[in-house]
Each structure stands twice: as structure tokens, then as C-alpha cells.
């Protein structure tokens, strides 16, 4: 026993050295219903405070907006047949861009994770491009591809593809050596190992990659629509902002938020299906 | 060259004769040091000879690092030896083959496959049987290792002992001529280990199949083996070759027989590290 501890025990009585320390409490486990209620309450309180701030003039009526004003703006946009065509245009761009990110990212990630020499050659490039502000390439994309839908797809792809490549690659490379030996002892071919060991093992990584790519693809859609042609919901936000129609701009923002939440939940459902085997 | 050919002939002869099923001749394994600047290379096996008769259960025992796992990996074809030759039933071994199956030290089950699909894994990779036949063989193998009712469990849902049973079933289901077992019960608690030893002993007794079983547990080696091969510290050499004179399958009571205890004692004496003797003498001074 150390001298200090000995003194603490004898001078100030047992456990004196523990006094005045905040000890960790029992972890609180909330029921699902409680969690949902608290979440909804949080949203309602924030929106209510915002509405109140707008009506009381805390927020400028010219440049600011409020939940009710956003509702009005949405109705106006629908009446002028502006909202749904914009949503459809953005949806198309997202679906094409996101699919390309996932498809090409998966194949590239598998190849780079599987062939160590290719990995050695291309890993610096992937790391560099992932770290670089790829939006700096927009002027070049305009020069090479123009400002049409193709250019927008290229932007979404550049913004979204890297997490897919990097996660898939990491998943394949993290293959369990003992599983590899089991497969080899049963005379597995390269293709067998890829399909029965590497790919299923990489699945959690791949899903994590899809999650990141999903969010980045949405960002890519907004950026592409801002800078190239001002189309879709992103274009709507951009044009509304320029003419101080903040309510309309917020409609666009709300749509993107909603899309992100819905897509993430959908991915969670898919993930659960593959997750039975994890303890 | 002529000498090598002569030796090959001799090995071929002994391998094809009825008494030898597996013949390992002059097996050597040297691991080069990973640094290029001429660090020490490590010789784990140096000219090791070993034979296994048809249907024989041979246990290999030795201190950790003596190369017993390396020996098993070489026979399994999972490691390429730096020297020596191996013959199984007269056929030279190069790389993994359908005639051998390995029961790994860790259960190494694929966590995304159920028990049944893990057992089926080897058969699926070999692509020799139809689905229905695989299902039937898998069903029988699962029953054999006492896992009936757990077919659809995932590995994380069953205990370590049950995982090792799956590991065993996965090897037996491909009906190998030679089973290679690498300390399969080493990580289990004592009770589970004894139970699995009993079952393995019964299983091995019922089928004429040769087994090479690596362990560092002396009682386990004597209880399971028709013959116990003891290896020295690296570079691993065979220092004893002891026949265990009891019929298989054996009951636990075998452990109480004086002959059993005598063999265990002899092995313990052989395997005692030299440094321990030195310690003992210095203490006496």
C-alpha cells in the first residue's frame, strides 16, 4: 500500500479518500416510447420558438422566415407548378449519381482491396483525391462536360464515390486470416475466397460506405444544382435566396432534410436484414 | 541427384507398404527474417521424420514453439516446407488436398453462416455433391457431434465448446483420409474439454481414419493417442515415440491405470525444460 493511501485511510477515517468524488450513476435506459416523445417534443419546441421569434419581430421579416411562412411558400410553389418538377429533377439526379457511386465504388473498392499491388499503386491517389476539396474541380468539369445533366452527374459522383471505395477496400483487406486458411484447406479458388469470405466479411464496411455515400451524394446534388444550371430543388433554393424569398429557400432545405432522414432510415432497415449474424 | 532419387524410391516403398499411411521424411522449415539486413532466420523444423499407420491416432506433444503446429500446417498443405517430402497413401503431398481436413485451433467459423452452413462449407467448395446429398451428409455430421437442434444457430449464439464441435463436424463431413487437429480443445474449460475428448475418442474408434493431433496437454495426448510423439524445443526433433497400449475407445478410467500414469510421468520428464533442472540445482546449493 502506498504511503499516501495509508495516510488517507488512517488520518481521515476509511473511505475519506473517496469523499467529494462524483461517482458514475446507473446508466439510464429509456423506453422506446419515451425516446420518441422526447424527440418530437424537441422538434415542436424549436419550431414553436422560431415561429414566436418571427411574430415578435426578433427575426427580420424581410430576410427571415418562420415555419408558417415556409408552409405558405410551399403552397405558392405548388400552385405555380414549380415544386414537384423540381423534386423529380433532383430525385433523378440523385438516383443516377448515387447508383453510380455505389456501383463503381463497390467494384473499384473490391479490386483495390483484393489485389495488393493495385492497392499500392492507387491508394495514394484515392487518399489524395478523398482529402482534396473536389469541388475545386467544378470549373474543369464545366469545361470538359458542359453544364448539362451529365456534368451534374459527374459532380455528384466526384463528391460521393470516395467513401464507398475506401470502405469497401478496407473491408476486403480486413479479411480474417483464419477464415482464409479454412477456405484454403478446403481447396478454395480465388473466386471462392472472394465470394464466401472476403465479400460477406466486408459487408458491414460496405454498408457503412453506402451510408456515407448517401449523405455525400445528396450534398453533391445540391452543389451540382447550385452551380450547374440552377435546376431541381437545389436550383430552387439558390434562385429563391437571390431574390430574398427565404420561405421558398427553406422549402428546398426542408425537402433535402426530409430526403436524408428517409433514406437513412431505409438503409437502417436494409442493414438489419444483413445483421442477424452479429452478436 | 542419384542420392535423392534413391531416397525417393525408399520413401515410396515405405509409403506404399501397408504399415505406413502418412510418411514425412526430412521435413525442414526455416523462416527467413523479414528484414533484408541479414537478421537471424529461424529454423523451426530440421529434418523431421514421422510415419502414421492406417487408422492410427497419433498425438504430437511438445513445448510451445517446438514446431508442432508448423508440422501440421505442412502436412495440411497450408505451409510450404523449406525441405523434405511427405507422402499420403503413396501420393506425394503438395499443397492442400481433398484427402486431408483440418480442425483448427480456433473454431474459425464463418460468423455469417449458420451451424449447418458452416458444416457444409467444405462440401460446397469441393462441388462434388448435389445439394440434397450435401444436406444429408451435413445432417449426419451435426448429429454425430451432438449438435442436433442447433442447425440454424449462428456461431455467436452457441458456446465455445459447441463452436469446436462445428469445427470438428466441418472437417469430418468431407470424409478425409487423414484428419489434422491443431490443439482444438486448448481454449476450452476443463469439463468441456474432457467431454469432447471422450467423444472424439469414441468417434475415432468407430471409423478407420488416421488422425494427427497436436496438443501441449500430456494427459490429453496419452488419453487420445495410439502413439504419442514428443518433440523437443526448436528446432523441433522427435525425442520420444511412445505406444499407448490401451484399446480404443477408452473410458476415463484409463487415466487411473498405472501404465497410463507411467507414460505421463515419462513424457513429463522428457518434456521438462533443461533450464528448470538448472534452477533446481542452484536452489539446492
Amino acid at each position: 500500500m502506498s504511503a499516501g493511501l495509508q495516510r488517507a485511510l488512517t488520518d481521515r477515517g476509511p473511505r475519506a479518500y473517496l469523499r467529494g468524488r462524483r461517482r458514475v450513476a446507473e446508466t439510464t435506459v429509456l423506453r422506446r416510447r419515451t425516446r420518441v416523445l422526447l424527440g418530437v417534443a424537441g422538434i415542436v419546441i424549436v419550431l414553436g420558438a422560431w415561429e414566436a421569434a418571427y411574430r415578435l419581430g426578433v427575426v427580420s421579416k424581410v430576410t427571415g422566415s418562420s415555419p408558417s411562412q415556409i408552409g405558405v411558400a410551399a403552397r405558392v410553389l405548388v400552385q405555380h407548378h414549380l415544386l414537384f418538377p423540381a423534386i423529380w429533377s433532383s430525385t433523378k439526379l440523385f438516383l443516377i449519381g448515387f447508383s453510380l457511386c455505389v456501383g463503381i465504388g463497390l467494384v473499384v473498392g473490391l479490386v483495390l482491396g483484393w489485389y495488393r499491388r493495385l492497392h499500392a499503386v492507387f491508394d495514394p491517389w484515392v487518399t489524395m483525391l478523398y482529402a482534396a476539396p473536389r469541388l475545386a474541380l467544378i470549373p474543369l468539369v464545366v469545361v470538359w462536360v458542359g453544364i448539362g445533366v451529365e456534368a451534374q452527374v459527374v459532380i455528384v459522383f466526384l463528391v460521393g464515390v470516395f467513401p464507398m471505395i475506401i470502405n469497401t477496400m478496407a473491408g476486403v483487406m480486413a479479411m480474417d486470416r483464419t477464415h482464409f486458411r479454412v477456405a484454403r484447406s478446403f481447396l478454395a479458388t480465388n473466386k471462392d475466397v472472394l465470394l464466401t469470405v472476403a465479400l460477406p466479411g466486408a459487408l458491414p464496411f460496405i454498408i457503412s460506405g453506402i451510408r456515407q455515400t448517401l449523405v455525400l451524394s445528396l450534398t453533391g446534388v445540391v452543389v451540382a444544382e447550385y452551380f450547374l444550371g440552377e435546376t431541381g430543388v437545389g436550383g430552387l433554393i439558390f434562385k429563391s435566396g437571390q431574390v430574398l424569398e427565404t420561405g421558398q429557400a427553406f422549402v428546398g432545405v426542408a425537402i433535402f432534410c426530409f430526403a436524408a432522414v428517409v433514406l437513412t432510415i431505409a438503409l437502417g432497415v436494409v442493414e438489419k436484414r444483413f445483421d442477424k449474424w452479429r452478436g | 541427384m542419384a542420392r535423392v532419387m534413391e531416397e525417393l524410391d525408399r520413401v515410396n516403398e515405405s509409403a506404399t507398404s501397408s504399415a505406413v499411411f502418412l510418411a514425412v521424411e526430412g521435413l525442414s522449415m526455416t523462416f527467413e527474417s523479414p528484414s533484408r539486413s541479414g537478421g537471424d532466420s529461424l529454423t523451426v523444423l530440421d529434418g523431421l521424420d514421422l510415419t502414421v499407420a492406417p487408422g492410427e491416432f497419433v498425438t504430437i506433444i511438445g513445448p510451445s514453439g517446438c514446431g508442432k503446429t508448423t508440422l501440421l500446417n505442412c502436412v495440411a498443405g497450408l505451409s510450404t516446407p523449406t525441405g523434405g517430402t511427405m507422402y499420403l497413401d503413396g501420393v506425394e503431398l503438395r499443397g492442400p488436398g481433398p484427402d486431408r481436413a483440418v480442425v483448427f485451433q480456433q473454431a474459425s467459423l464463418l460468423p455469417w453462416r449458420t451451424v449447418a452452413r458452416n458444416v457444409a462449407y467444405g462440401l460446397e467448395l469441393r462441388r462434388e455433391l448435389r445439394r440434397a446429398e450435401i444436406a444429408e451428409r451435413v445432417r449426419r455430421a451435426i448429429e454425430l457431434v451432438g449438435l442436433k437442434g442447433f442447425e440454424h444457430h449462428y456461431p455467436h449464439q452457441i458456446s465455445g465448446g459447441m463452436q469446436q464441435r462445428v469445427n470438428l463436424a466441418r472437417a469430418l463431413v468431407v470424409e478425409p483420409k487423414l484428419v489434422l487437429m491443431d490443439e482444438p480443445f486448448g481454449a476450452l474449460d476443463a469439463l468441456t474439454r474432457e467431454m469432447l475428448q471422450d467423444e472424439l475418442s469414441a468417434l475415432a474408434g468407430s471409423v478407420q481414419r488416421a488422425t494427427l493431433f497436436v496438443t501441449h496437454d500430456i494427459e490429453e495426448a496419452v488419453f487420445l493417442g495410439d502413439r504419442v510423439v514428443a518433440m523437443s524445443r526448436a528446432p523441433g526433433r522427435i525425442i520420444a515415440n511412445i505406444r499407448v497400449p490401451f484399446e480404443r475407445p477408452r473410458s476415463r478410467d484409463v487415466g487411473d491405470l498405472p501404465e497410463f500414469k507411467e507414460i505421463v510421468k515419462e513424457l513429463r520428464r522428457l518434456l521438462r525444460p533443461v533450464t528448470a533442472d538448472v534452477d533446481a540445482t542452484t536452489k539446492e546449493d
Side-chain angles (χ1 to χ4, degrees), chain B residues 39-195:
Chain B
D40 291 338
S41 56
L42 181 68
T43 300
V44 179
L45 295 172
D46 192 11
L48 183 133
D49 300 327
L50 176 76
T51 57
V52 176
E56 194 180 20
F57 197 122
V58 175
T59 49
I60 299 173
I61 189 156
S64 52
C66 74
K68 52 194 193 295
T69 294
T70 305
L71 163 64
L72 202 79
N73 283 339
C74 287
V75 177
L78 294 174
S79 299
T80 311
T82 43
T85 47
M86 297 168 290
Y87 291 87
L88 184 66
D89 220 2
V91 181
E92 186 169 7
L93 296 181
R94 290 178 190 279
D99 44 7
R100 285 149 290 150
V102 186
V103 180
F104 290 87
Q105 193 167 3
Q106 269 89 41
S108 320
L109 306 179
L110 300 174
W112 49 84
R113 282 178 172 242
T114 59
V115 166
R117 297 260 293 138
N118 262 293
V119 174
Y121 187 57
L123 288 175
E124 283 177 19
L125 287 183
R126 289 187 182 181
R127 296 188 187 83
E128 286 160 356
L129 300 178
R130 270 194 291 271
R131 261 168 184 281
E133 288 172 287
I134 290 179
E136 176 55 23
R137 294 248 301 248
V138 166
R139 192 188 61 74
R140 266 185 285 143
I142 287 176
E143 219 172 278
L144 197 68
V145 298
L147 282 178
K148 204 167 182 231
F150 292 95
E151 291 87 347
H152 304 298
H153 283 59
Y154 284 93
H156 74 90
Q157 296 170 316
I158 60 177
S159 69
M162 289 160 90
Q163 290 182 10
Q164 281 301 353
R165 287 165 192 263
V166 181
N167 189 7
L168 183 63
R170 178 176 62 187
L172 296 183
V173 79
V174 299
E175 293 176 2
K177 293 188 204 164
L178 176 66
V179 186
L180 303 161
M181 305 182 80
D182 184 11
E183 299 189 34
F185 308 145
L188 301 176
D189 64 274
L191 281 176
T192 312
R193 184 162 59 229
E194 279 200 2
M195 204 156 73

